[in-house]
């Protein structure tokens, strides 16, 4: 699913794709690079650049910054809610 979601962003079939809490770094690495190379946005759910220093990896892929901000607004709320439940 992660590769397919990234592929759809890469080819303009969808505006954004996010993955939170279920993926590993190898699910995102190649698509993140490809999306950035064509001018898309790749960030962590908090809006910061992705860190490639752990196996677990959450991300937001988007075709532009405006759409990324909309997704980030919701992903920030989701991650805050999840931290409160642990």
């Amino acid at each position: 699913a992660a590769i397919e979601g990234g592929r759809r962003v890469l080819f303009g079939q969808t505006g954004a794709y996010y993955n939170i809490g279920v993926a590993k770094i190898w699910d995102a690495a190649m698509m993140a690079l490809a999306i950035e190379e064509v001018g898309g946005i790749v960030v962590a759910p908090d809006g910061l650049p992705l860190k490639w220093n752990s196996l677990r990896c959450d991300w937001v892929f988007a075709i532009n910054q405006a759409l990324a901000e909309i997704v980030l607004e919701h992903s920030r709320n989701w991650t805050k809610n999840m931290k409160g439940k642990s």
Side-chain angles (χ1 to χ4, degrees), residues 20 43-51 58 60 72 75-76 79 83:
I20 301 174
V43 292
D46 59 6
L48 298 174
L50 288 179
K51 293 185 179 182
D58 300 333
V60 173
L72 287 168
S75 67
R76 287 179 187 124
T79 54
K83 287 179 184 176

Side-chain angles (χ1 to χ4, degrees), residues 1 3-4 8 22 29 32 41 49 62 67 82:
I3 293 169
E4 178 62 17
R8 288 177 184 242
V22 296
I41 305 298
L67 189 52
M82 292 309 294

Side-chain angles (χ1 to χ4, degrees), residues 15-35:
Y17 176 78
Y18 66 92
N19 196 312
I20 301 174
V22 296
K24 303 290 189 223
I25 193 170
W26 50 79
D27 295 322
M30 185 275 306
M31 255 332 139
L33 176 61
I35 290 167

